[in-house]
Amino acid sequence: MNRYVLAASTLSTAVGLALAIQASPGQAQGKMDMSKMPKVVQDNMMRMEQNKLEKCYGINKVAKNDCAEGARYEVLRAASRGRLLQDPGRQDDGLLIGSELLDSHAAPLRTRDSIPAKAGVGLRFRHHQEALESHAAAAWFEVHTENYLGGGSAPAYLDAIRRNYPVSLHGTGLSLGSAEGLDAEHLARVRELVERAEPGLVSEHLSFSVAAGNYLADLLPLPLTEEALGIVCRNVAQVQDHLKRRILVENPSTYLQFRHSTIPEWEFLAQVAKRTGCDILCDVNNIYVSACNHGWDAAGYLAALPPEVVGEIHLAGHAVRRLDGGRVLRIDDHGSRVAPEVWALYTEALARFGPVPTLIEWDTDVPPMAVLLEEAARASVLIEEAKNGNCRALAA
């Protein structure tokens, strides 16, 4: 299939577009011609190169950390060839889903362990030295997996910080929604980092970023169909089998919906957890952003998630843009403090899921560590309220 429909959700601009990309079979086997890509994709990749964005979407083949060093961004080539999401009407008898998939991926899984049910912060490059020298009062740190797969100083900092703080790994590059399968080389490097850092939690996104050997610098949403569900479950099971541990899958923030989707997002995510045994990373900000953009009931979304599999919560800021016609679009840019409405939804989440590890994310216009710790302290108060059974009253 030569036609791919993509939906972009960039970190720092109002995107949320349906991108139609024409690719010939010859183009699909090599590197992407960026001059022929939609401007939104070109702009996103250029920002990564110039601004060294913290949320990295790839490491090149010579193991250089592109995000840390500001090197030219290189596309990753998928290990196996294939197609993007199939036509919605096509059947694929080769997919293993449900109990068949679970039976074929029976490796033992590590459960959540060293990350406490407290508020942590996302560790960014500018805070490495401070975390070591000042012993920042953070309960735990989360880092983006792909930023620590290469050389340079970043892995050495992680080794040192890991001695003093619990650490979790949050991936952006596995592309769990890719119908062509996972990049075996990338997965092997993730496993090496997991074995080295011994993180308390490992998480990834419900999205895709690899198509026909081309690596796209974005976390792209999926059509929520039975076929896509089978693909995601297959890939999640493969990751868990390879890492020999349970992972968490994070709900996305989205700006449009595919009209051929047949499964509500919250049901899709719950089914992934049920079929693969993975946990859910509940990003409360993402739920609020998507609910506002699509007219969903955010509280109903929370109520549909199985409490027993929610192993972590993310909180972050988002931007608000006013479009032509008076429509308001909320963008998950991780560039500000948590919004009051998201704090209110967080109390509802704690009332339903109980006190679980909670992370403050901040990826654009990253502030001093003190600001992150202030946000974490606010989350800590609500976690303590949840332990005392008071969060339901707070949410009201």
Side-chain angles (χ1 to χ4, degrees), residues 10-344:
T10 64
L11 284 171
S12 56
T13 57
V15 187
L17 309 171
L19 307 178
I21 300 173
Q22 296 287 347
S24 68
Q27 290 173 320
Q29 298 303 325
K31 289 187 177 180
M32 180 175 295
D33 183 352
M34 289 304 299
S35 67
K36 297 180 180 179
M37 288 297 296
K39 187 174 185 301
V40 64
V41 177
Q42 297 182 43
D43 290 347
N44 191 33
M45 297 182 79
M46 184 63 69
R47 268 195 314 278
M48 289 181 62
E49 179 177 330
Q50 293 178 343
N51 300 333
K52 308 177 187 179
L53 288 185
E54 288 285 353
K55 199 158 189 177
C56 180
Y57 291 92
I59 301 297
N60 66 22
K61 292 294 185 181
V62 295
K64 185 171 184 178
N65 188 318
D66 296 301
C67 293
E69 305 299 335
R72 179 173 176 78
Y73 186 86
E74 297 289 339
V75 295
L76 289 177
R77 184 172 300 167
S80 57
R81 297 176 180 175
R83 50 183 171 73
L84 198 58
L85 290 172
Q86 300 168 306
D87 293 321
R90 177 173 174 176
Q91 300 296 316
D92 190 338
D93 296 330
L95 287 178
L96 293 175
I97 59 175
S99 60
E100 291 183 350
L101 180 143
L102 289 174
D103 289 342
S104 66
H105 296 81
L109 301 176
R110 286 183 59 192
T111 57
R112 52 184 91 135
D113 42 27
S114 65
I115 302 299
K118 297 181 179 180
V121 299
L123 182 67
R124 304 300 176 246
F125 293 132
R126 66 168 293 182
H127 300 138
H128 279 169
Q129 197 66 31
E130 182 178 357
L132 284 177
E133 293 178 352
S134 67
H135 302 290
W140 57 284
F141 286 123
E142 180 181 88
V143 300
H144 290 126
T145 304
E146 280 72 17
N147 285 348
Y148 296 84
L149 298 183
S153 61
Y157 270 112
L158 182 60
D159 288 344
I161 291 167
R162 180 67 181 86
R163 299 188 189 105
N164 299 320
Y165 299 91
V167 169
S168 72
L169 297 180
H170 188 48
T172 60
L174 281 175
S175 191
L176 296 179
S178 286
E180 62 200 64
L182 302 175
D183 184 328
E185 181 179 345
H186 185 77
L187 181 56
R189 296 176 70 189
V190 171
R191 182 177 64 183
E192 291 176 2
L193 179 62
V194 168
E195 292 173 349
R196 174 176 175 172
E198 297 182 321
L201 296 172
V202 177
S203 56
E204 252 291 351
H205 296 80
L206 181 64
S207 65
F208 79 98
S209 54
V210 178
N214 294 312
Y215 200 99
L216 304 167
D218 245 317
L219 299 171
L220 304 173
L222 301 167
L224 301 180
T225 63
E226 288 292 338
E227 180 187 33
L229 179 59
I231 289 167
V232 172
C233 288
R234 177 197 66 196
N235 290 341
V236 169
Q238 183 181 348
V239 172
Q240 293 186 142
D241 184 58
H242 201 70
L243 300 183
K244 293 183 171 52
R245 62 182 295 153
R246 180 179 288 109
I247 68 168
L248 300 94
V249 177
E250 178 185 346
N251 56 289
S253 56
T254 55
Y255 310 98
L256 55 79
Q257 299 180 80
F258 293 90
R259 66 174 166 268
H260 48 274
S261 292
T262 58
I263 307 172
E265 183 177 291
W266 43 92
E267 292 183 11
F268 191 100
L269 196 62
Q271 280 297 311
V272 172
K274 180 179 179 180
R275 296 186 186 191
T276 67
C278 75
D279 283 343
I280 292 174
L281 195 172
C282 177
D283 191 310
V284 174
N285 183 67
N286 286 359
I287 290 177
Y288 182 77
V289 165
S290 296
C292 290
N293 289 339
H294 306 315
W296 296 345
D297 176 9
Y301 191 127
L302 287 177
L305 298 179
E308 66 276 8
V309 298
V310 174
E312 183 183 348
I313 292 175
H314 273 188
L315 296 171
H318 65 267
V320 179
R321 302 289 175 85
R322 298 194 178 277
L323 308 180
D324 293 342
R327 184 181 171 219
V328 174
L329 183 70
R330 295 182 184 270
I331 306 152
D332 176 42
D333 67 348
H334 297 183
S336 58
R337 290 181 182 269
V338 179
E341 299 86 352
V342 175
W343 282 119

